[in-house]
Amino acid sequence: MIVDDFLPKESTAPLGSGHLTYKAPSNIALVKYWGKRPHQLPANPSVSLTLSHCATTTTVSYDGQGGTANGVSFDLFFEGGPKPSFRPKIETFFSRIAAYVPFLRGAHLKIETSNSFPHSSGIASSASGMAALALCLVEMERRMWPKMSQAHFEQKASFLARLGSGSACRSIAGSLVHWGLHAETQGSSDLYGISYPYPVHPVFTTYQDTILLVDKGQKQVSSTLGHDLMHGHPFAAQRFAQAHDNLNGLRPIFGKGNLEAFVKIVESEALTLHAMMMSSSPYFVLMKPNTLSIIERVWDFRERTGSPICFTLDAGANVHLLYPEDEKERVLPFIERELAPFCEKGQYICDRVGSGAQKM
């Protein structure tokens, strides 16, 4: 697929009016995307687990004749009330996708969105939020053009979501999603995410993710700034090559269920992400003392018990604990006893691998 494939190919019926709702999950990257090129294209490929419970639900009510002549107008409500701080991001999104959704010209939208998890809790709400909105927009197009295939629907939704937030393109499908051109991954593209195309051992289809909320405050560094710091970074080329190598390494791991090897790559990826931030200019330390305390206790627990529990991190202080479903009975008491005290107000969220977005 190329960019032009996402331009409408034939005239459609008028937009009319109506409403629709989609629920899109957050995701957690195993191989991290860090650094981007123009047009929201990734500097390196990535792979992520789609979550189940941490999700954004978005309803779009639309009136094809209710907006201005030159563009789309919208009202935005978050958790039941106006959210002016979200408007600039949505306005930027609509300007980026205008050529791909010309049916929105002159329309007015009412966008109502809510999260199943606390906002600014370190979970990728931009990913789930932009994915849910993109799905609603492509569903509007499908109502006018019923011949659209399901494959094209999912690709275009992922393509549009990427233009709102890069990682949002991984929040359409499930349960393992690859994004970014990679020589060894069939069907991979920088333009959209794809369901992982190779065999996946059953152990990974029910994997658990417990998110330890070390710091629920606003992110110290925005994702945009963090990605920009990779331009001219002294170790950028090595990092991008490492991501390709780790994706190669994960293919037999996913196929055979080699959890010991899985742990090594996932934790290395998490620490590399933070190492890149600590060695950038300007530099940032995004982990908190409690983040390190949790990591040390996870390592100790794994050493003592042989459990294949591991951690990963996004660009912040919170910790995602990953472990097989059959480890829950001994991992959850460990979390409550030894790790929850390092979380803000003792809070953590139990989630698991999910199957992707849903129409509601």
Side-chain angles (χ1 to χ4, degrees):
M1 298 286 284
I2 60 174
V3 169
D4 287 352
D5 290 328
F6 296 108
L7 296 170
K9 291 295 188 296
E10 55 187 79
S11 61
T12 59
L15 178 59
S17 61
H19 67 275
L20 40 82
T21 303
Y22 267 90
K23 178 181 178 182
S26 185
N27 67 79
I28 179 65
L30 305 175
V31 171
K32 308 295 183 180
Y33 138 67
W34 200 242
K36 60 185 175 183
R37 300 179 281 119
H39 310 297
Q40 295 285 97
L41 298 176
N44 68 267
S46 59
V47 68
S48 63
L49 290 174
T50 305
L51 299 183
S52 177
H53 306 315
C54 292
T56 298
T57 300
T58 296
T59 297
V60 175
S61 304
Y62 57 93
D63 179 354
Q65 306 299 317
T68 62
N70 296 325
V72 58
S73 65
F74 66 92
D75 297 317
L76 177 65
F77 298 89
F78 176 69
E79 310 271 320
K83 192 70 173 180
S85 63
F86 283 9
R87 285 194 68 90
K89 188 175 182 71
I90 303 301
E91 288 169 350
T92 298
F93 174 59
F94 281 130
S95 69
R96 288 174 178 170
I97 69 171
Y100 306 104
V101 288
F103 54 86
L104 290 182
R105 192 175 298 118
H108 179 77
L109 309 181
K110 179 182 179 183
I111 304 169
E112 300 170 275
T113 187
S114 62
N115 293 336
S116 65
F117 53 91
H119 182 63
S120 297
S121 62
I123 302 168
S125 59
S126 61
S128 56
M130 299 309 297
L133 178 56
L135 285 158
C136 288
L137 299 181
V138 183
E139 183 66 31
M140 290 163 62
E141 181 180 2
R142 183 159 64 175
R143 287 184 175 182
M144 297 181 290
W145 185 33
K147 292 189 296 183
M148 181 185 295
S149 69
Q150 183 64 24
H152 184 77
F153 173 85
E154 292 178 1
Q155 286 180 344
K156 183 162 183 176
S158 182
F159 172 83
L160 294 184
R162 188 199 87 245
L163 293 172
S165 173
S167 58
C169 75
R170 300 190 310 240
S171 282
I172 305 296
S175 53
L176 199 61
V177 178
H178 177 105
W179 171 40
L181 192 61
H182 180 239
E184 304 301 321
T185 303
Q186 183 178 359
S188 62
S189 172
D190 287 340
L191 300 179
Y192 49 83
I194 62 169
S195 293
Y196 191 73
Y198 300 114
V200 177
H201 191 279
V203 70
F204 294 112
T205 64
T206 58
Y207 235 68
Q208 308 294 298
D209 179 7
T210 299
I211 304 121
L212 305 176
L213 302 179
V214 173
D215 183 0
K216 293 172 62 180
Q218 195 69 29
K219 290 199 299 188
Q220 181 183 346
V221 181
S222 71
S223 295
T224 297
L225 174 58
H227 287 294
D228 286 347
L229 291 173
M230 292 299 287
H231 297 302
H233 194 293
F235 308 126
Q238 295 92 330
R239 162 57 201 153
F240 300 149
Q242 179 194 44
H244 284 267
D245 290 343
N246 281 340
L247 282 166
N248 290 337
L250 278 172
R251 183 170 170 182
I253 290 169
F254 285 143
K256 297 178 181 177
N258 184 338
L259 299 186
E260 182 178 354
F262 176 78
V263 165
K264 290 179 180 178
I265 288 181
V266 169
E267 291 190 345
S268 172
E269 278 284 322
L271 295 175
T272 297
L273 169 64
H274 284 256
M276 299 306 289
M277 292 296 291
M278 287 189 279
S279 54
S280 65
S281 181
Y283 44 79
F284 296 92
V285 178
L286 302 183
M287 288 188 278
K288 302 291 187 183
N290 282 359
T291 307
L292 293 173
S293 294
I294 288 170
I295 289 172
E296 289 171 347
R297 281 160 177 76
V298 168
W299 285 341
D300 177 69
F301 180 77
R302 194 164 66 219
E303 178 77 18
R304 287 188 285 111
T305 67
S307 172
I309 185 175
C310 67
F311 69 86
T312 189
L313 308 165
D314 274 336
N318 298 329
V319 180
H320 289 250
L321 286 184
L322 304 177
Y323 51 94
E325 185 176 40
D326 62 10
E327 288 289 312
K328 284 177 66 173
E329 287 190 9
R330 61 173 171 175
V331 168
L332 290 178
F334 161 67
I335 291 170
E336 184 63 29
R337 182 179 64 252
E338 297 191 39
L339 303 185
F342 294 102
C343 299
E344 187 173 328
K345 298 181 180 179
Q347 292 184 308
Y348 57 90
I349 299 171
C350 292
D351 209 333
R352 57 173 290 149
V353 170
S355 56
Q358 304 172 43
K359 184 179 179 182
M360 307 302 286

